[in-house]
Amino acid sequence: MRNKAAVAAVAAAAAAVGVALLARRQMREAKRWGRADAVLRGLDERCAAPPARLRQVADAVAVEMHAGLASEGGSKLGMIISYVDSLPSGQEKGLFYALDLGGTNFRVLRVQLGGKEGRVVKQECEEISIPAHLMTGTSQELFDFIAAALAKFVSSEGEDFHLLEGRQRELGFTFSFPVKQSSIASGTLIKWTKGFSIDETVGADVVAELSSALDRQGLDMKVTALVNDTIGTLAGGRYDDSDVVAAVILGTGTNAAYVERANAIPKWHGLLPKSGDMVINMEWGNFRSSHLPLTEFDQALDAESLNPGEQIYEKLISGMYLGEIVRRVLLKMTEEASLFGDDIPPKLKIPFILRTPHMSMMHHDTSPDLRTVGAKLKDVLGIQGTSLKTRRLVVAVCDIVAKRGARLAAAGIHGVLKKLGRDIPSSDKHRTVIAMDGGLYEHYTIFSETLESTLREMLGEEVSSSVVIKLANDGSGIGAALLAAAHSQYLEAEV
């Protein structure tokens, strides 16, 4: 009898210990989730972009635009005069080439334009890799390599492409490196980026460098337009739709360009162009304002970047950085709340390992158990066996970061429309079209839908009914060829 009582007492004690341990574990778990939720709530509060704040951002963009047009260096925005004073009208005819140099590969493209009726009759494109040694060699070696590839491409011109009798081939040159432009077809290199390092090219006219290389190849071709990819997107957009007034790139990086009245540019000291217009390259990635909702994660990312204090707007809204912000938030949750267990996963400490395409796939996961989120955490960060609750928390972080970026991008567009006087109701009911390019906008659906709904919210129903955002692909390719046509040396002869 006594034995039974003792056993019962031991069992009761063990049960009590078990209950206590369970209660303690549950309490520890609750505290852990409480700490993770506190990080999430803090992020949500500091990323908040309500309409009033977005209007302040839009106003600040418009003010900076005015300042940048008034004087060089007078604004955080570059507001660079592009010397593009005429955009394609759709009337262009003939054969034109484009060269797109923006990284370790370059593209050559040709397009046959058939005027108002024929439009783009035919186009062909080829991509060529630049050998690594040429990226740090001599200027002549690099441009000779490019010119030789272009000459080979020209030699394969088929019967569908027709150069008019007695005419020189003309080329639009997309050069996506910092350049100080002095005319539509000349500009000196300020500095190389993206792994290139050829000192002798810095300060040289890149069009003259390319033209000399073309001469050495015996290729009779004239560079008629030097542009960047944003202005190319604007040109391609205008060719398809005459109501296009601005272009925005939302991809790895971000930028905007728009059509300004030349007489509204105080820093322009040349003759007013016949068209009365001038395309402005905003370089809006460098925008910053006290109204931007910055978090500790943004400040740390900026401080550790290659360009601290610069490109603040780009670091909040572009594809290069969104995934990295999410990684930093998850790392803090792991450090403070053991989100992925007691040990911090080693890969979670690696900057930029979580890319925005990974973030997008997790954010768009609609499966009941969020299996894509689980798979990405495992494949990219080496984190296995995550619970549904953890996966939901990861999606919530993606949602806050992506939607803040999209809303701030919409505020930037609103600022441009404000500068153009297109943010208020107008009696003429004229359409306002923005040409958009970039993988972030094209492939991250939640981002693009949030951007569009935010712009509608800011503009109001009446104005937003006449504002259209259109996807305009390949500005750096076909856009450059169209600008070569719009600035052809033969235009006067055709009038």
Side-chain angles (χ1 to χ4, degrees), residues 408-422:
L408 291 175
I413 294 170
H414 187 266
V416 176
L417 297 181
K418 191 179 183 70
K419 169 68 181 71
L420 294 173
R422 302 233 180 184

Side-chain angles (χ1 to χ4, degrees), residues 200-245:
E200 64 184 303
T201 321
V202 176
D205 183 344
V206 292
V207 172
E209 293 287 313
L210 177 61
S211 299
S212 297
L214 294 174
D215 289 344
R216 287 193 290 274
Q217 288 293 326
L219 184 56
D220 187 22
M221 181 177 274
K222 182 180 175 68
V223 180
T224 58
L226 174 66
V227 297
N228 73 6
D229 54 354
T230 317
I231 291 165
T233 299
L234 181 60
R238 176 65 72 90
Y239 184 75
D240 290 332
D241 190 326
S242 60
D243 291 330
V244 167
V245 296

Side-chain angles (χ1 to χ4, degrees), residues 247-315:
V248 174
I249 303 273
L250 279 165
T252 305
T254 183
N255 194 14
Y258 75 103
V259 184
E260 183 59 270
R261 289 171 295 106
N263 62 8
I265 310 172
K267 69 180 179 183
W268 172 257
H269 301 303
L271 293 170
L272 289 180
K274 284 182 190 171
S275 66
D277 292 331
M278 180 61 71
V279 173
I280 298 294
N281 167 20
M282 288 178 63
E283 291 295 338
W284 83 352
N286 203 43
F287 170 71
R288 70 179 301 164
S289 160
S290 60
H291 300 300
L292 291 173
L294 292 171
T295 70
E296 64 186 275
F297 307 106
D298 305 304
Q299 288 159 344
L301 185 154
D302 176 52
E304 293 165 27
S305 69
L306 295 172
N307 54 349
E310 296 176 22
Q311 301 296 106
I312 299 299
Y313 188 50
E314 182 169 79
K315 288 168 184 171

Side-chain angles (χ1 to χ4, degrees), residues 2-31:
R2 212 175 288 153
N3 283 347
K4 282 186 180 176
V7 169
V10 169
V17 169
V19 168
L21 284 172
L22 182 62
R24 198 175 302 154
R25 192 179 299 129
Q26 286 174 336
M27 195 180 296
R28 201 164 57 236
E29 192 78 354
K31 280 183 180 174

Side-chain angles (χ1 to χ4, degrees), residues 338-459:
S338 304
L339 182 65
F340 301 116
D342 293 335
D343 297 322
I344 298 172
K347 286 187 176 178
L348 189 57
K349 296 178 182 177
I350 302 172
F352 293 96
I353 191 171
L354 185 69
R355 294 170 51 244
T356 301
H358 302 141
M359 168 188 173
S360 173
M361 289 175 79
M362 293 193 294
H363 198 179
H364 289 106
D365 187 359
T366 56
S367 61
D369 58 350
L370 296 177
R371 73 184 59 158
T372 301
V373 178
K376 287 292 149 201
L377 291 172
K378 181 185 169 195
D379 297 345
V380 179
L381 299 172
I383 300 168
Q384 307 212 38
T386 49
S387 67
L388 182 56
K389 193 172 182 181
T390 301
R391 294 174 190 184
R392 282 181 179 144
L393 196 64
V394 171
V395 173
V397 173
C398 294
D399 193 67
I400 292 168
V401 172
K403 286 181 177 174
R404 176 189 64 167
R407 286 178 72 78
L408 291 175
I413 294 170
H414 187 266
V416 176
L417 297 181
K418 191 179 183 70
K419 169 68 181 71
L420 294 173
R422 302 233 180 184
D423 63 323
I424 49 176
S426 159
S427 55
D428 65 7
K429 296 289 178 191
H430 205 64
R431 286 167 76 243
T432 296
V433 182
I434 295 127
M436 189 76 76
D437 196 6
L440 178 63
Y441 178 82
E442 186 176 1
H443 302 301
Y444 202 144
T445 308
I446 293 171
F447 185 98
S448 52
E449 287 177 351
T450 302
L451 186 156
E452 289 168 23
S453 64
T454 304
L455 190 59
R456 284 195 299 273
E457 175 189 351
M458 293 184 76
L459 291 170

